[in-house]
Amino acid sequence: MEAIEQAIRNALAKVDVGNPAIRQKVYESAWGAHERSLAANGALDDGQRDERRERLKDAITRIEKEVQTTGSIVPPVPAPVVERREPVLSQSTTRIEPTIDVGQEPELDAPELVSDEPVTADNYRPDRLRSRLKRNTERKKASGLTKFVIILASLALALGLLWLVASGIINSKPSSIPPSTGNPAVSGSHEPLKEGELSPEGNWITVFDPSDTTQVSVAGRATATIGGDQVEKYLRIKSPGEADEVSFQVGQGVLEQLAGKNTMFDIVAKSEDGARTQMAVSCDFGDLGDCGRKRFDVSDASSEYLVQKQFPADKKPAAGGAIKINSDITQAGKSVDIISIRVQVTN
């Protein structure tokens, strides 16, 4: 407490001590510095803090009475500089330690408000500054809490969206795509149908899903590897030559459900990032016939490619069949990512 009283006297000695407004500024600055020191000292309880505040108020009252009585302020007497010396280590060497100034004064910040009211020992009110410091602290706490709530809400929203995509409620690929307005030709290039042309209604039968590759086989130099992430997986197929095809088995039980009916096979696929290719699709359903050979232009956007097939009513499948895909009919070795294959009865 003696140190801050010396600091107040030093500050008053450097200003116009006869001006009450200036004295008020010095007192408030001293009080603010003292409050910050109390807040930073976690070892003090509330009683000790109040006791130190009262001692500071007494010091301010004492200084103010002195100024009002004498019209001046007596500056503190600087502490004497004590020079310490180490013992002589040898006759030729003497080392002197530097002195430490123990009388350093605490720095007083400029007060936030200046009162025009004359200062007296009775009208100085540190409680006013204390409440203002409390309001500032509460505003900072509220601001920090608001930022924390915003960050927490954003994180919860992101996790919610990720869960919706992962659970399939929000589909990351086009969900249902439109049946073609006419039968694809056996030869020629076909674009995927636009969304809205294929009704999502009806019962779809899954022919291929990347989670089960047991029904996939390759011919020649063709390759098939699983890729993707938790949101979307795919089977990346590559056909270096015309005869290098990847076959997706269609079970006999599935063909029995399709016999005698008009059907639509839906192949969800895309090319590698930034690339385009032209894939060929053919079918082999044994006694139930085939679907010809279709060509589709494939981009790096996930799209649905549709193949129609009318199964004969007078025949029953003796075994399963297959859908065969060549990823690049130009034989440049470009790949295609097969995301799913499914079939639906359309009549």
Side-chain angles (χ1 to χ4, degrees), residues 255-256 258-262 287-288 309-317 347:
L255 293 180
E256 289 174 351
L258 305 179
K261 299 174 182 177
N262 189 33
D287 293 341
L288 299 184
K309 166 66 178 174
Q310 175 65 57
F311 286 90
D314 57 344
K315 295 182 179 180
K316 299 294 182 182
N347 62 348

Side-chain angles (χ1 to χ4, degrees), residues 19-38:
N19 188 328
I22 293 179
R23 296 201 304 276
Q24 177 75 17
K25 289 174 61 177
V26 173
Y27 298 150
E28 290 190 353
S29 179
W31 185 269
H34 186 252
E35 284 295 315
R36 287 190 293 273
S37 175
L38 292 180

Side-chain angles (χ1 to χ4, degrees), residues 315-334:
K315 295 182 179 180
K316 299 294 182 182
I323 296 176
K324 301 179 180 181
I325 301 178
N326 185 299
S327 68
D328 183 10
I329 62 176
T330 66
Q331 302 181 31
K334 296 179 181 178

Side-chain angles (χ1 to χ4, degrees), residues 103-114:
Q104 184 178 0
E105 300 170 356
E107 295 183 359
L108 302 181
D109 293 336
E112 297 181 13
L113 297 176
V114 176

Side-chain angles (χ1 to χ4, degrees), residues 119-130:
V119 180
T120 66
D122 296 329
N123 71 4
Y124 173 65
R125 297 185 298 277
D127 290 338
R128 178 180 59 186
L129 180 61
R130 188 188 310 172

